[in-house]
Amino acid sequence: MENKKEIPYKIYLEENEMPKQWYNVRADMKNKPAPLLNPGTLQPMKAEELEAVFCKELVEQELNDTDAYIDIPQEIRDFYKMYRPSPLVRAYCLEKKLDTPAKIYYKFEGNNTSGSHKLNSAIAQAYYAKKQGLKGVTTETGAGQWGTALSMACSYFDLDCKVYMVKVSYEQKPFRREVMRTYGASVTPSPSETTNVGRKILAEHPGTTGSLGCAISEAVEVATSTPGYRYVLGSVLNQVLLHQSVIGLESKIAMDKYGIKPDIIIGCAGGGSNLGGLISPFMGEKLRGEADYEFIAVEPASCPSFTRGKFAYDFCDTGMVCPLAKMYTLGSGFIPSANHAGGLRYHGMSSVLSQLYDDGLMEARAVEQTSVFEAAEQFARVEGILPAPESSHAIKVAIDEAMKCKETGEEKTILFGLTGTGYFDMVAYEKFHDGLMTDYIPTDAELQVGFDGIPKFPGNEI
Amino acid sequence: MENKKEIPYKIYLEENEMPKQWYNVRADMKNKPAPLLNPGTLQPMKAEELEAVFCKELVEQELNDTDAYIDIPQEIRDFYKMYRPSPLVRAYCLEKKLDTPAKIYYKFEGNNTSGSHKLNSAIAQAYYAKKQGLKGVTTETGAGQWGTALSMACSYFDLDCKVYMVKVSYEQKPFRREVMRTYGASVTPSPSETTNVGRKILAEHPGTTGSLGCAISEAVEVATSTPGYRYVLGSVLNQVLLHQSVIGLESKIAMDKYGIKPDIIIGCAGGGSNLGGLISPFMGEKLRGEADYEFIAVEPASCPSFTRGKFAYDFCDTGMVCPLAKMYTLGSGFIPSANHAGGLRYHGMSSVLSQLYDDGLMEARAVEQTSVFEAAEQFARVEGILPAPESSHAIKVAIDEAMKCKETGEEKTILFGLTGTGYFDMVAYEKFHDGLMTDYIPTDAELQVGFDGIPKFPGNEI
């Protein structure tokens, strides 16, 4: 606590204050997240099975639920220094505009070319791929942040990068594609004719504009059928949450330095990479009984995995080529409506977060996109930053909580994750400005169609 | 000099280290920049004449060539804290990639929603407009960074903001327009039917896609004919260079802190706002004989104001409604080719920089756009940041200088201004990737057409 008096607008850690280890929240969880299952045998996936898909050291990280801290290799720390530490910002102007006694902080992850926090895990996964002597990696991308991040990371380590981009995004976001090309990645619209699973999906659903689940299936097929390649994923997996813990660790170090303790911690949740990364070190304290915090996951009402999903084993992808993960899910066949927060359009949720939620350690809220864009614009006008639609889900609930404090007079400290910028989402903003944005909440019957596709086997009753 | 041993990747000043005054390089210039002239009387513009167009306090700043330091009002310093200090980055990865003994630093101004350094002056101009009790301001924008910056600043101070956007940009960059709308600005494609000068230009050149010079004329007309409005400008003017000195001041404070002295300082030059801001405090030392530096202005070969222009009094706008400024100019009738660095497509140049250049205190180089994009991509791949085409002009020459050091073995320290990000320039990157980018160098005969339009009067022979 160097200075308790004045909190600067932006807190930047010094390089020597930056985390040297990731924090693995699973080590402190009493109820561990359930293991991935082989869909054929329904037995837990063994390391050697996973290593056909993922890099060896990443598989170790995926399965490690005992070590609380894992060293960040120097090469990754050097790369982190190029765009990290990210600022922890005191939202003085937003507080003033809302006239709230709440103190609002946000950890801003958008100051890098990927435009989001995704780079934190991309560089780690690329590093381990390079270390293993691979030629390249494959992945999918929806909104495009993950694909951009991975192409940046692969360019840095001179790895080939094959990205399967959900067709609708490929067509609607040509600029994201060009950013990836700038970094030397090859980008293929999914579903494509380049894979068996892509051809099958195209035959069954001619004219489909694709989904994240389809693109995952294609990327996995290419990785497992091309020598020298592995598949990497930008969210959901335990390893990704591990890498993303750098967000929470930096936040905590910065807050501790100034003697700040958050009461409420808020993050948007698609697959859970940002939320998991942000809350991990704070959740660790809660799990160890050292401190208490309120955690809120925010998801789109159009894709309500936490608030309306089932906690069950399910496929991570549409083509059903991936292992089964136990998670809050809407069913791998659920196709979310065309919400503009592409990064939150995923039927499932990180197993770690699903377990924590099921254990009552965190809350979840579903919000509608028009109200999210209202919050986004309000935020942009006073805090300067044009937020991504995904991030704006967290802004919406942070503002809601700050307004509650205004009613009650409580001086709560709110921390939220501002995952990225919306520069490639101006089509969505345009719709919002023109009054053409609509909200969509799936009916119970529509959700049931997704639930019907959840695999049925003993112990997986929903 | 707190630490001479290890230079971090990024140097961020503490809030209390940030400049509290702007630096006015004119105070230290022996040959002052020539005054603006009334085009009717050819007499220097008086304050009261300028106040019909510009805010009162900004006119004072425009005419003040004696005070070396001018206080930055607290309200502006508070806004600066939202997105400043900008990082001074040591380009370790670029140095390694080039295998050069040179030490390369860049001051990165792109970490804000305007995507460039333009916000530094926008917030100042909006502040003085608000202080004067105005209803709003008008301006023009080409590539869109300035319009975005001004709309952000006006939103913060609750001022109306009318932006005339060069038609070709309005159509090709709809996303920039949406960012401005997010901040509540009204955006009109120029030339438009809303002004006399716009209608005149449209009648004379049906189907024209506009130019910065036309848009300036329209914005000035609206400001001077609408009660409660004034015109603001994002470059060229003395006041703008004054506000932008925050770039150079922060750079110098950061470098002094670590005992670093640059040998070469490089900036791209359109109207001169970034270059002038970056070099000002260093140029001050040179003018006072306290230190020596090499300064290099980089401009597009397609719009070579410094390297092939005339040093003469000329109009700042196509409609010839603005005062005459003495500057290096290609003639207000010169229409630059469709270079992708829209922010550098201006026929003239800051009077301050023009005088310094004419006095032999700085150099200038013209570079072709394909080589600029090659440098941009090389930079992006190792330093992570996707640079704006404008900024990439400086990157190109910084790399050239670093490669010279490799040949000679000299360990020069190079500082360049990285003015912004290229997220809204992906059409240009796409052309580059697809091999469709062309270079264009105007012939002497083509330049002569522009020169022929420079006003002729005693003392203004070219």
Side-chain angles (χ1 to χ4, degrees):
Chain A
M1 223 184 299
E2 288 180 5
N3 175 350
K4 220 184 162 173
K5 276 174 238 153
E6 201 175 337
I7 311 287
Y9 276 61
K10 298 198 295 318
I11 307 176
Y12 281 108
L13 299 181
E14 302 285 331
E15 263 181 23
N16 59 18
E17 294 172 317
M18 287 169 67
K20 295 178 182 61
Q21 298 180 305
W22 291 304
Y23 169 66
N24 181 8
V25 71
R26 287 167 285 160
D28 285 312
M29 288 170 69
K30 209 185 289 178
N31 297 325
K32 304 291 183 192
L36 296 170
L37 296 187
N38 179 316
T41 66
L42 299 181
Q43 294 302 306
M45 292 286 285
K46 295 190 195 103
E48 54 267 33
E49 291 176 292
L50 289 168
E51 284 166 13
V53 181
F54 300 108
C55 304
K56 201 169 151 40
E57 286 200 54
L58 292 168
V59 170
E60 277 174 35
Q61 293 179 357
E62 191 64 27
L63 299 176
N64 184 339
D65 58 13
T66 50
D67 295 326
Y69 289 95
I70 292 175
D71 286 344
I72 308 176
Q74 186 62 48
E75 291 84 346
I76 299 174
R77 289 172 53 203
D78 283 345
F79 188 89
Y80 278 171
K81 285 180 197 166
M82 284 210 294
Y83 71 101
R84 307 199 67 81
S86 70
L88 178 73
V89 187
R90 173 74 183 267
Y92 281 117
C93 297
L94 181 62
E95 291 171 19
K96 195 174 157 194
K97 182 80 181 176
L98 300 176
D99 189 24
T100 172
K103 294 174 182 66
I104 308 174
Y105 293 84
Y106 54 93
K107 180 72 169 168
F108 179 44
E109 293 287 322
N111 276 348
N112 71 74
T113 292
S114 82
S116 81
H117 65 293
K118 293 288 183 183
L119 199 49
N120 301 330
S121 183
I123 192 62
Q125 297 194 46
Y127 167 76
Y128 291 115
K130 186 71 181 180
K131 198 177 162 200
Q132 192 172 330
L134 298 178
K135 272 190 232 164
V137 292
T138 71
T139 200
E140 77 295 328
T141 199
Q145 286 97 330
W146 168 248
T148 308
L150 189 69
S151 63
M152 291 172 70
C154 285
S155 161
Y156 183 76
F157 283 124
D158 203 15
L159 279 169
D160 184 40
C161 180
K162 296 185 195 301
V163 180
Y164 283 82
M165 188 170 187
V166 177
K167 193 180 277 174
V168 62
S169 297
Y170 183 90
E171 286 163 0
Q172 286 183 356
K173 296 193 170 189
F175 296 164
R176 273 272 177 217
R177 187 182 72 206
E178 286 311 315
V179 179
M180 290 183 250
R181 285 179 78 196
T182 302
Y183 288 94
S186 76
V187 188
T188 307
S190 167
S192 76
E193 295 284 349
T194 66
T195 64
N196 291 326
V197 66
R199 287 186 290 269
K200 185 162 173 279
I201 292 166
L202 283 170
E204 285 168 11
H205 307 277
T208 177
T209 54
S211 76
L212 213 47
C214 302
I216 294 175
S217 300
E218 291 203 85
V220 170
E221 181 182 319
V222 173
T224 52
S225 61
T226 314
Y229 282 74
R230 291 293 185 281
Y231 168 71
V232 297
L233 180 63
S235 192
V236 183
L237 295 176
N238 300 334
Q239 57 188 271
V240 178
L241 267 70
L242 175 72
H243 307 147
Q244 294 294 358
S245 70
V246 70
I247 304 172
L249 290 163
E250 278 187 10
S251 302
K252 191 150 189 332
I253 294 166
M255 293 189 122
D256 286 349
K257 189 170 165 179
Y258 286 90
I260 309 158
K261 186 190 165 293
D263 298 297
I264 310 176
I265 303 174
I266 301 167
C268 61
S273 69
N274 148 68
L275 179 69
L278 175 67
I279 70 173
S280 275
F282 300 97
M283 182 62 83
E285 287 194 324
K286 183 164 177 164
L287 289 165
R288 298 189 302 270
E290 295 164 9
D292 197 17
Y293 303 96
E294 188 181 346
F295 300 102
I296 308 176
V298 191
E299 58 187 15
S302 59
C303 190
S305 318
F306 270 136
T307 51
R308 297 175 69 196
K310 305 291 182 187
F311 189 39
Y313 268 107
D314 194 10
F315 286 97
C316 299
D317 64 323
T318 312
M320 303 185 183
V321 302
C322 289
L324 298 170
K326 189 168 181 192
M327 54 186 180
Y328 275 84
T329 179
L330 299 165
S332 65
F334 177 79
I335 305 284
S337 78
N339 184 290
H340 289 290
L344 305 183
R345 290 180 65 204
Y346 182 64
H347 68 277
M349 183 57 67
S350 141
S351 291
V352 171
L353 294 179
S354 294
Q355 187 61 52
L356 291 167
Y357 180 65
D358 203 58
D359 288 343
L361 289 156
M362 52 183 276
E363 301 166 47
R365 289 198 203 150
V367 293
E368 293 178 51
Q369 71 175 347
T370 306
S371 68
V372 166
F373 275 82
E374 281 164 8
E377 188 160 286
Q378 186 173 20
F379 179 84
R381 289 189 178 188
V382 289
E383 289 290 319
I385 298 167
L386 185 89
E390 292 84 357
S391 325
S392 304
H393 285 67
I395 296 174
K396 159 71 180 148
V397 170
I399 291 176
D400 287 348
E401 291 297 314
M403 294 310 285
K404 278 189 207 164
C405 288
K406 188 174 175 177
E407 279 176 35
T408 62
E410 286 175 292
E411 291 186 25
K412 285 190 180 171
T413 296
I414 298 168
L415 166 64
F416 72 89
L418 188 71
T419 55
T421 48
Y423 304 133
F424 293 96
D425 298 287
M426 296 319 296
V427 168
Y429 274 93
E430 186 173 16
K431 274 200 179 164
F432 173 68
H433 295 148
D434 293 342
L436 300 175
M437 184 168 279
T438 53
D439 290 319
Y440 176 72
I441 301 178
T443 63
D444 287 343
E446 283 166 329
L447 288 186
Q448 192 56 48
V449 177
F451 296 149
D452 289 344
I454 294 175
K456 276 150 200 74
F457 57 86
N460 204 44
E461 285 73 31
I462 57 167
Chain B
M1 224 184 300
E2 288 180 4
N3 174 350
K4 219 185 163 170
K5 279 175 234 150
E6 203 175 335
I7 311 289
Y9 277 61
K10 299 198 295 320
I11 306 175
Y12 282 108
L13 300 181
E14 302 285 330
E15 264 181 21
N16 59 18
E17 296 172 316
M18 288 168 66
K20 295 179 182 60
Q21 300 180 305
W22 291 303
Y23 169 66
N24 180 9
V25 71
R26 286 167 287 160
D28 286 311
M29 288 170 69
K30 207 183 292 180
N31 298 325
K32 305 288 184 193
L36 295 170
L37 296 188
N38 179 316
T41 65
L42 299 181
Q43 294 302 305
M45 291 287 285
K46 294 188 195 109
E48 54 268 33
E49 291 175 291
L50 289 169
E51 284 167 15
V53 181
F54 301 107
C55 304
K56 200 168 153 40
E57 285 201 54
L58 291 168
V59 170
E60 276 174 37
Q61 293 179 357
E62 191 64 29
L63 299 177
N64 184 338
D65 58 13
T66 50
D67 295 325
Y69 289 94
I70 292 175
D71 286 344
I72 308 176
Q74 187 60 47
E75 291 85 345
I76 298 174
R77 288 173 53 204
D78 283 345
F79 188 90
Y80 278 172
K81 285 180 197 167
M82 283 209 296
Y83 71 101
R84 308 198 67 81
S86 70
L88 178 73
V89 186
R90 172 74 183 267
Y92 281 117
C93 296
L94 180 62
E95 291 171 17
K96 195 175 155 193
K97 182 79 181 177
L98 299 176
D99 190 24
T100 173
K103 294 174 184 64
I104 309 175
Y105 293 84
Y106 54 92
K107 181 72 168 166
F108 179 45
E109 293 288 320
N111 275 348
N112 71 74
T113 291
S114 81
S116 81
H117 64 293
K118 293 287 182 183
L119 199 49
N120 301 330
S121 183
I123 192 64
Q125 298 194 46
Y127 166 78
Y128 291 115
K130 186 71 183 178
K131 198 177 163 198
Q132 192 172 331
L134 297 177
K135 273 191 231 163
V137 293
T138 71
T139 199
E140 76 297 327
T141 198
Q145 285 98 328
W146 167 248
T148 308
L150 189 70
S151 63
M152 291 173 69
C154 286
S155 162
Y156 183 77
F157 283 125
D158 203 17
L159 280 168
D160 184 40
C161 180
K162 296 184 196 298
V163 180
Y164 283 82
M165 187 169 187
V166 176
K167 192 180 276 175
V168 62
S169 297
Y170 183 89
E171 285 163 2
Q172 287 182 356
K173 296 193 171 188
F175 296 162
R176 273 272 178 219
R177 188 182 72 205
E178 287 309 316
V179 179
M180 291 183 249
R181 285 179 77 196
T182 301
Y183 288 93
S186 76
V187 188
T188 307
S190 166
S192 76
E193 295 285 351
T194 67
T195 64
N196 291 328
V197 67
R199 286 186 290 269
K200 184 160 175 279
I201 292 168
L202 283 171
E204 286 169 9
H205 306 277
T208 176
T209 55
S211 75
L212 212 47
C214 302
I216 294 175
S217 301
E218 291 203 84
V220 170
E221 181 183 320
V222 172
T224 51
S225 61
T226 314
Y229 282 75
R230 290 294 184 283
Y231 168 71
V232 297
L233 180 63
S235 192
V236 183
L237 295 176
N238 300 334
Q239 58 188 268
V240 177
L241 265 71
L242 174 71
H243 306 147
Q244 294 294 359
S245 70
V246 70
I247 304 172
L249 290 163
E250 278 187 10
S251 302
K252 193 154 187 329
I253 294 166
M255 293 189 122
D256 286 350
K257 190 171 166 179
Y258 285 91
I260 308 158
K261 185 191 168 291
D263 298 296
I264 310 176
I265 303 175
I266 301 166
C268 61
S273 69
N274 148 68
L275 178 70
L278 175 67
I279 71 173
S280 274
F282 300 97
M283 182 62 83
E285 286 195 322
K286 182 164 178 165
L287 289 165
R288 297 189 302 269
E290 295 164 8
D292 197 17
Y293 303 96
E294 189 181 346
F295 300 102
I296 308 175
V298 191
E299 59 188 13
S302 59
C303 190
S305 319
F306 270 136
T307 51
R308 297 175 68 196
K310 305 289 183 189
F311 191 37
Y313 268 107
D314 194 10
F315 286 97
C316 298
D317 64 323
T318 313
M320 302 186 183
V321 302
C322 290
L324 297 171
K326 188 166 182 194
M327 55 186 179
Y328 275 84
T329 179
L330 298 165
S332 65
F334 177 79
I335 304 283
S337 78
N339 184 291
H340 288 289
L344 306 183
R345 289 180 65 204
Y346 182 66
H347 69 276
M349 183 58 66
S350 140
S351 291
V352 172
L353 294 178
S354 293
Q355 187 63 51
L356 291 168
Y357 181 66
D358 203 58
D359 288 343
L361 290 157
M362 53 184 275
E363 301 166 47
R365 288 198 203 150
V367 293
E368 293 178 53
Q369 71 174 347
T370 305
S371 69
V372 165
F373 275 82
E374 281 164 9
E377 188 160 285
Q378 185 172 22
F379 179 84
R381 290 190 177 188
V382 290
E383 290 290 319
I385 298 167
L386 186 89
E390 291 84 356
S391 325
S392 304
H393 285 67
I395 296 174
K396 160 71 180 147
V397 170
I399 291 176
D400 287 349
E401 291 297 314
M403 294 310 284
K404 277 189 207 163
C405 288
K406 188 173 174 178
E407 278 175 37
T408 62
E410 285 176 291
E411 291 186 24
K412 285 190 180 173
T413 297
I414 299 168
L415 166 64
F416 72 89
L418 188 70
T419 54
T421 49
Y423 304 135
F424 293 97
D425 298 287
M426 296 318 296
V427 168
Y429 274 94
E430 186 173 17
K431 273 199 182 167
F432 173 68
H433 295 147
D434 292 341
L436 300 174
M437 184 168 277
T438 52
D439 290 319
Y440 176 73
I441 301 178
T443 63
D444 287 343
E446 283 164 330
L447 289 185
Q448 192 56 49
V449 175
F451 296 148
D452 289 344
I454 294 175
K456 276 146 201 75
F457 57 86
N460 203 44
E461 284 74 28
I462 58 168

